[in-house]
């Protein structure tokens, strides 16, 4: 008898994957990956096409099923599918036609910056943490509510559909589950607690949509998906080779990685290196509020009647995205793997520091006005040093959120569990250990995000093929990177980095000044912020 299999859809910011695991051993049996295009229609805007996202999901599923057949594995052994996704990314679609009403606005997108500044200015004491007691989050461009507000205010089709009660809002998980369970023909409109907790519309104490928050953002509650636990049967696959298989797990990608790294005990933590970088520490069944710029988020709720577990999260917007930028925008590297060679050739950044604040700064600063800078350049600096500085930036940003995490919890981490695409870069892992001054531990199977979603799906009531009790969790092999430089050198470099961060701040503000473009934004600024008027073109004097 073949062991039962469980599959996971991992829909990330830059790619979609479908992975199939053995539910007894957690071994990865097969997978397929497709890149997802991002569009940048204006400066600071980041969008993805919801239909392309679904197309990539179907393609990954079908290709993986073909690969399983070639391996003589019967796909009828797949007993459940889990979904994990880029969080906060915001979609609105028409429930009658099944068509998206606009592109998905990606979590990194900055078009709502003036909206956010306006909200903070109106808040008592101009406090960005004005809603944190309910949401665990600061008011920021990062979360879904302001993106949804922008869509209703600026896209006629969305406004009309909301008025006609045809509109459905969801994060990427809701869109995928709705489409896979039938779409306009009876699709299930739901989300899980981990994804809901990233919208700013969800009360993390009552564990439901909050009428007061919805009024604050002026969002009609009828367009919201139903909130479910992270592990239960939501519905069944309607089409594709897997028709009839239950979809029974749903977790935001960072929560899924926490589960996949088996961080079920209070105090356990993991750091994921993807498009951004996300450090989560399990705080158990009580939400802990941070005094050092971290988010309080719902980690998971593994069953209808199970308690919710919470996490403290340090979120960094740009990690792997800096490599994509060096490749696609600057042409400095031809492939993502090449950055390791270039950086190794330099061996140091020679005093060059790169703060990739492309989407402002996230934790621990929450400073939307920051922009990217490269400083400490000399005639000696070349692209190798820049590559090294880019990798160092990922490590320094992780150090900042780790320090905040240690201050909040009072119990410093003695080692860091890591996962995500960038962890295959050995130089990065060694640099990370050196900059943190603690060992870095990387599992040999780095697809922990998908594994977490598969575990949630396989353990769901009515599926029951994956046992999450501690004695049944599979043993995971890993490699450990020990710090190799003395801590004085590490501290010196980190202090210089912090100086560079200060210089990146207060760059792009929407306050009036002599710049025509900024003035245009201000004059044109509806209360919720509308796209800036382009600067007037004029001949040089």
């Amino acid at each position: 008898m073949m062991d039962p299999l469980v599959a996971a859809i991992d829909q990330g910011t830059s790619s979609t994957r479908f992975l199939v695991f053995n539910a007894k051993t957690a071994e990865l049996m097969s997978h397929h990956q497709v890149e997802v295009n991002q569009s940048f229609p204006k400066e600071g805007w980041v969008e993805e096409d919801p239909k392309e996202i679904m197309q990539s999901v179907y393609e990954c599923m079908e290709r993986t099923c073909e690969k399983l057949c070639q391996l003589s594995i019967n796909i009828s052994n797949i007993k459940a599918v889990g979904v994990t996704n880029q969080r906060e990314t915001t979609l609105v679609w028409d429930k009658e036609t099944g068509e998206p009403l606009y592109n998905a606005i990606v979590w990194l997108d900055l078009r709502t910056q003036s909206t956010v500044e306006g909200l903070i200015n109106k808040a008592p004491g101009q406090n960005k943490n004005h809603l944190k007691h309910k949401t665990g989050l600061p008011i920021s461009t990062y979360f879904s509510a302001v993106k949804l507000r922008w869509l209703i205010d600026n896209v006629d089709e969305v406004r009309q559909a909301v008025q006609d009660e045809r509109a459905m809002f969801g994060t990427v998980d809701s869109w995928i589950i709705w489409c896979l369970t039938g779409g306009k023909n009876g699709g299930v409109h739901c989300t899980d607690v981990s994804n809901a907790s990233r919208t700013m519309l969800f009360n993390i104490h009552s564990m439901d949509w909050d009428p007061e928050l919805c009024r604050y953002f002026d969002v009609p509650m009828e367009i919201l998906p139903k909130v479910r636990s992270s592990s239960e049967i939501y519905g069944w696959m309607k089409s594709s080779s897997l028709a009839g298989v239950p979809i029974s797990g749903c977790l935001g990608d960072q929560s899924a990685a926490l589960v996949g790294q088996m961080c079920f005990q209070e105090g356990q933590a993991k750091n994921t290196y993807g498009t951004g970088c996300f450090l989560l520490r399990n705080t158990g069944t009580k939400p802990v509020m941070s005094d050092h710029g971290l988010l309080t988020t719902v980690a998971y709720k593994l069953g209808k009647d199970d308690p919710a577990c919470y996490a403290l999260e340090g979120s960094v917007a740009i990690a792997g995205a800096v490599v994509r930028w060096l490749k696609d925008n600057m042409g400095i590297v031809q492939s993502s793997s090449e950055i390791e060679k270039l950086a190794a050739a330099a061996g140091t950044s020679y005093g060059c520091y790169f703060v990739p604040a492309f989407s402002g700064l996230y934790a621990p600063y929450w400073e939307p006005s920051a922009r990217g800078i490269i400083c400490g350049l000399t005639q000696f600096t070349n692209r190798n040093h820049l590559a090294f500085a880019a990798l160092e930036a990922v490590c320094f940003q992780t150090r900042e959120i780790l320090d905040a995490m240690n201050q909040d919890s009072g119990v410093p981490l003695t080692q860091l569990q890591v996962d995500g695409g960038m962890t295959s870069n050995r130089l990065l892992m060694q640099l990370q250990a050196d900059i943190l001054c603690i060992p870095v531990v990387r599992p040999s199977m780095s697809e922990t995000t998908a594994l977490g979603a598969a575990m949630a799906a396989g353990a769901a009531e009515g599926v029951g093929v994956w046992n999450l009790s501690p004695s049944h969790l599979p043993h995971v092999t890993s490699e450990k990177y020990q710090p190799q430089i003395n801590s004085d050198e590490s501290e010196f470099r980190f202090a210089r980095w912090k100086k560079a961060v200060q210089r990146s701040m207060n760059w792009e503000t929407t306050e009036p000044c002599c710049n025509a473009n900024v003035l245009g934004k201000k004059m044109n600024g509806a209360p919720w912020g509308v796209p800036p008027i382009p600067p007037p073109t004029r001949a040089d004097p």
Side-chain angles (χ1 to χ4, degrees):
M1 263 297 285
M2 172 86 196
D3 284 342
L5 306 177
V6 178
I9 295 162
D10 179 355
Q11 205 299 300
T13 315
S14 53
S15 71
T16 300
R17 293 194 274 285
F18 187 73
L19 306 92
V20 176
F21 297 93
N22 179 316
K24 294 284 173 270
T25 63
E27 181 196 350
L28 176 59
M29 307 304 289
S30 185
H31 67 106
H32 189 76
Q33 176 168 350
V34 172
E35 274 213 4
V36 173
N37 291 302
Q38 295 173 359
S39 56
F40 308 97
K42 294 186 185 181
E43 189 200 355
W45 292 30
V46 190
E47 297 180 359
E48 291 180 358
D49 176 354
K51 290 167 90 165
E52 186 194 332
I53 289 174
M54 275 321 295
Q55 209 39 60
S56 70
V57 169
Y58 285 119
E59 185 180 339
C60 288
M61 290 196 313
E62 295 307 323
R63 289 290 102 78
T64 306
C65 288
E66 286 166 17
K67 291 178 187 180
L68 287 172
C69 292
Q70 285 160 11
L71 296 165
S72 310
I73 295 170
N74 191 335
I75 61 173
S76 67
N77 285 315
I78 298 176
K79 301 303 178 197
V81 176
V83 174
T84 179
N85 56 290
Q86 50 170 320
R87 303 171 304 172
E88 302 96 13
T89 295
T90 303
L91 299 92
V92 180
W93 64 95
D94 184 319
K95 64 182 173 196
E96 289 169 15
T97 64
E99 292 292 309
L101 294 165
Y102 193 77
N103 276 343
I105 301 184
V106 177
W107 57 278
L108 285 164
D109 184 280
L110 288 181
R111 76 189 65 192
T112 56
Q113 189 181 334
S114 55
T115 306
V116 165
E117 286 174 10
L119 287 174
I120 293 171
N121 287 335
K122 284 204 298 247
Q126 301 194 335
N127 179 8
K128 64 174 156 248
N129 291 318
H130 171 51
L131 306 173
K132 193 172 167 182
H133 62 288
K134 284 189 172 204
T135 62
L137 313 170
I139 298 171
S140 160
T141 57
Y142 181 22
F143 308 109
S144 315
V146 279
K147 302 178 195 295
L148 175 54
R149 195 59 250 163
W150 186 92
L151 285 166
I152 296 170
D153 285 335
N154 293 283
V155 181
D156 293 338
E157 290 80 359
V158 173
R159 190 183 319 116
Q160 198 55 56
V162 169
Q163 278 170 10
D164 300 347
E165 300 184 358
R166 284 182 287 115
M168 281 185 165
F169 153 77
T171 40
V172 172
D173 54 308
S174 301
W175 170 241
I176 291 174
I177 293 172
W178 187 78
C179 291
L180 291 178
T181 54
K184 61 183 179 182
N185 302 313
V188 177
H189 190 214
C190 68
T191 185
D192 92 298
V193 292
S194 68
N195 278 297
S197 75
R198 312 297 291 190
T199 58
M200 287 205 103
L201 301 170
F202 184 78
N203 184 317
I204 61 173
H205 308 286
S206 71
M207 297 297 284
D208 209 346
W209 301 122
D210 188 293
E212 212 174 272
L213 290 168
C214 291
R215 273 200 299 278
Y216 182 85
F217 289 105
D218 196 17
V219 165
M221 293 185 78
E222 348 11 297
I223 73 174
L224 305 177
K226 184 170 164 43
V227 183
R228 314 270 290 261
S229 78
S230 315
S231 177
E232 59 177 272
I233 295 176
Y234 313 110
W236 286 264
M237 295 280 230
K238 276 289 180 290
S239 56
S240 85
S241 309
L242 298 177
V245 176
I247 301 174
S248 52
C250 179
L251 287 159
D253 52 7
Q254 303 314 320
S255 286
L258 194 71
V259 171
Q261 287 262 31
M262 326 273 172
C263 297
F264 294 123
Q265 305 300 309
E266 192 175 326
Q268 288 184 304
K270 65 88 207 170
N271 194 34
T272 300
Y273 300 76
T275 299
C277 216
F278 301 88
L279 175 64
L280 271 74
R281 180 175 186 139
N282 188 329
T283 62
T285 54
K286 283 190 292 296
V288 176
M289 292 293 164
S290 167
D291 297 321
H292 299 93
L294 303 180
L295 309 176
T296 303
T297 201
V298 179
Y300 52 79
K301 177 175 158 66
L302 294 174
K304 269 184 211 175
D305 304 320
D306 283 44
C309 282
Y310 296 86
L312 273 176
E313 171 173 317
S315 329
V316 167
I318 304 290
V322 76
V323 182
R324 199 167 176 169
W325 181 83
L326 287 172
K327 176 167 76 77
D328 297 347
N329 297 34
M330 307 307 284
I332 284 175
V333 293
Q334 264 50 68
S335 69
S336 297
S337 51
E338 195 191 340
I339 192 163
E340 188 171 1
K341 291 199 217 37
L342 290 186
T348 164
S349 65
Y350 273 104
C352 166
Y353 288 81
F354 186 168
V355 183
F358 301 157
S359 291
L361 287 166
Y362 283 17
Y365 302 101
W366 299 105
E367 195 44 79
S369 67
R371 287 297 177 272
I373 60 164
I374 299 169
C375 52
L377 299 173
T378 66
Q379 282 169 307
F380 184 68
T381 312
N382 62 31
R383 68 188 188 133
N384 297 358
H385 302 129
L386 200 55
F388 197 95
L391 294 183
E392 256 188 342
V394 174
C395 299
F396 287 136
Q397 291 184 102
T398 297
R399 163 85 193 256
E400 293 200 276
I401 52 181
L402 186 79
D403 284 356
M405 192 77 77
N406 287 341
Q407 285 174 296
D408 271 326
S409 73
V411 187
L413 286 177
T414 51
Q415 59 172 36
L416 184 64
Q417 284 176 243
V418 301
D419 57 79
M422 280 190 100
T423 59
S424 60
N425 184 323
R426 304 175 85 90
L427 175 63
L428 178 73
M429 293 296 94
Q430 186 55 54
L431 262 179
Q432 188 67 85
D434 289 344
I435 286 167
L436 296 179
C437 308
I438 57 172
V440 167
V441 183
R442 170 184 173 260
S444 340
M445 204 289 294
S446 63
E447 296 282 3
T448 48
T449 300
L451 177 60
M455 288 163 66
E461 193 183 330
V463 177
V465 295
W466 205 304
N467 191 327
L468 298 185
S469 66
S471 57
H472 283 83
L473 291 177
H475 176 69
V476 179
T477 56
S478 55
E479 51 182 327
K480 194 178 246 191
Y481 293 82
Q482 297 286 353
Q484 288 175 356
I485 62 173
N486 71 35
S487 60
D488 291 350
E489 187 191 340
S490 184
E491 293 306 318
F492 172 77
R493 278 157 58 182
F494 185 52
R496 295 289 293 269
W497 157 263
K498 287 185 120 159
K499 216 162 112 182
V501 169
Q502 290 306 317
R503 296 191 174 178
S504 75
M505 291 203 201
N506 300 315
W507 187 260
E508 185 69 37
T509 56
T510 49
E511 287 313 301
C513 74
C514 52
N515 176 323
N517 186 26
V518 174
L519 269 178
K521 280 185 196 174
K522 201 65 191 172
M523 289 164 8
N524 196 13
W528 285 104
V530 291
I533 300 168
T537 47
R538 59 162 197 263
D540 286 336

